[in-house]
Amino acid sequence: MLGANVFFKCENFQRMGAFKFRGAFNALSRFDAVQRRAGVVTFSSGNHAQAVALSARILGMPATILMPSDAPQAKIDATRGYGGEVILFDRFKEDREALLQALARERGMTMIPPFDHPDVIAGQGTAVKELLDEVGELDHLFVCLGGGGLLSGSALSARALSPRCKIYGVEPEAGNDGQQSFRSGHIVRIPTPKTIADGAQSQALGEYTFAVIQRDVDDVLTATDAQLVQAMRFFAERMKMVVEPTGCLGFAAACHAGVPLAGQRVGVLISGGNVDLGRFGELLAL
Ligand SMILES: *Cc1c(COP(=O)(O)O)cnc(C)c1O
C-alpha cells in the first residue's frame, strides 16, 4: 500500500489492552514501603485507570481511581474488574484537581498522573525500545499523541537507539493542541475535543512531555475521525486485529499525512485495542 516496509508495535496485545501498563507499572514499582501501604490515586477516563488498577493489584497495594461519569462503560467495568476503587465525577461540574488532592490528603495516597511524570514516560518508552531492539533502525516512526507520555518516551528511546529516525506525533484533527504547542513553542490548552479517539482527548501537553517533544520530535501531524475508521477497518479486515480508534492515529497519518515513505523503513505504534464490540461495529458501519 505504501511501498514501504512497515513494522507495527502491537500494544493492543499488551496486558490490559494498551501500552499504559508500562508506565503505570514502572511508576508503582518504584514506590517505597510507606507509599505501598497507602497505595495510589489517579484520574483517567480509560486506559490509565485500568493500567493503575492492574499494576496495583500485582504489587499488592490499594488503588483509587477518579473517572468521569461519561467514560466508556467497558473501561469503568474493566477498572473495577482489576480491583480498583472507582469514584465517578461530573467532569463538566466538578473540580477534578480538588477532588484528587482531597483523596491524596485524606488517604495518604501517592498521585500518579496519566502522562506527566518521569517514571510514566520512562515506562512508556519501553515499547519503542523493544521495537527497535527487534527490527533495528528505522527511517520514520509514527506515534499516537494525547498528553504526550507515549510520544516523549518513544522519542527518548528512538533518539538513543535510532538517531537518524524521524519521529512524528499524531493527534486527532479536532484536538490539535500538541501541534499548536509544538509549532508555537509554548503549551497551548484547548477545550476537550470531540473525536472518536477517546484516548487522545487531552486538553494540553504536560511540562515534562512538552520539553522532550520539543527537543526530540520532528513534527506533530493530525488524522481525521474518518481516517481513523478507515485504519480500524484495515486492521480488522487485513490483519485480523481489533484496534481502538486512538490506536489508529499513527497508521492513519502514515497513510494520509503526505510524508514520503516509499522505500523507507517505517515504525507504527498501535497504542491499544480497548473498544467495546458494540461501539466497534457502530464505527465500522459509518
Ligand atoms: C493514553 C493513550 C494514548 C495517548 O497517550 P499519551 O501518553 O497521553 O500521549 C494513545 N492511545 C491509547 C490507546 C491510549 O490509551
Side-chain angles (χ1 to χ4, degrees):
M1 266 170 65
L2 301 177
N5 278 319
V6 181
F7 300 92
F8 293 101
K9 180 63 174 171
C10 295
E11 291 293 290
N12 51 313
F13 296 136
Q14 178 58 259
R15 285 194 80 167
M16 61 56 58
F19 73 89
K20 288 234 173 43
F21 182 71
R22 298 171 179 272
F25 191 86
N26 189 48
L28 269 57
S29 67
R30 294 170 57 88
F31 280 16
D32 64 24
V34 175
Q35 289 177 300
R36 278 184 192 229
R37 217 168 300 125
V40 58
V41 62
T42 192
F43 63 94
S44 165
S45 59
N47 288 331
H48 178 66
Q50 294 173 68
V52 166
L54 176 59
S55 301
R57 191 173 72 183
I58 292 170
L59 294 166
M61 63 175 92
T64 299
I65 296 127
L66 213 50
M67 296 183 81
S69 43
D70 59 343
Q73 191 61 40
K75 291 183 176 178
I76 296 176
D77 292 345
T79 304
R80 290 198 168 120
Y82 288 129
E85 180 194 356
V86 174
I87 299 179
L88 297 175
F89 75 105
D90 181 339
R91 68 189 167 105
F92 299 103
K93 294 194 185 126
E94 287 178 281
D95 179 355
R96 186 187 69 197
E97 277 313 309
L99 290 170
L100 268 174
Q101 275 168 23
L103 277 168
R105 199 173 46 242
E106 285 159 22
R107 302 183 181 191
M109 289 175 144
T110 303
M111 221 299 267
I112 295 296
F115 50 84
D116 207 24
H117 188 293
D119 296 336
V120 173
I121 293 169
Q124 316 305 30
T126 60
V128 163
K129 178 189 183 299
E130 286 172 8
L131 176 65
L132 294 169
D133 284 348
E134 200 176 330
V135 307
E137 296 201 24
L138 297 169
D139 300 309
H140 300 271
L141 175 66
F142 293 85
V143 179
C144 318
L145 171 58
L150 181 62
L151 179 59
S152 53
S154 299
L156 290 171
S157 289
R159 280 289 162 261
L161 301 173
S162 184
R164 285 180 308 278
C165 179
K166 291 238 185 300
I167 304 164
Y168 310 97
V170 187
E171 281 178 316
E173 190 180 79
N176 72 335
D177 61 285
Q179 188 177 56
Q180 292 181 46
S181 304
F182 184 78
R183 293 182 182 178
S184 71
H186 64 270
I187 297 176
V188 173
R189 174 172 292 275
I190 59 167
T192 301
K194 253 185 88 69
T195 165
I196 60 171
D198 58 78
Q201 282 180 308
S202 46
Q203 295 175 268
L205 300 177
E207 304 280 334
Y208 291 105
T209 60
F210 179 61
V212 175
I213 289 168
Q214 242 195 336
R215 192 191 63 187
D216 285 341
V217 168
D218 291 282
D219 203 0
V220 178
L221 310 170
T222 60
T224 65
D225 281 4
Q227 290 166 348
L228 297 180
V229 170
Q230 197 179 325
M232 261 172 80
R233 183 184 301 280
F234 174 83
F235 288 133
E237 274 181 359
R238 302 291 295 276
M239 296 176 75
K240 322 304 166 193
M241 296 200 303
V242 174
V243 179
E244 64 182 281
T246 315
C248 295
L249 282 163
F251 188 56
C255 293
H256 301 288
V259 180
L261 299 177
Q264 305 276 293
R265 292 168 53 82
V266 179
V268 171
L269 203 141
I270 297 178
S271 56
N274 291 334
V275 51
D276 56 71
L277 224 44
R279 175 93 179 119
F280 187 71
E282 276 168 28
L283 289 169
L284 291 188
L286 286 180

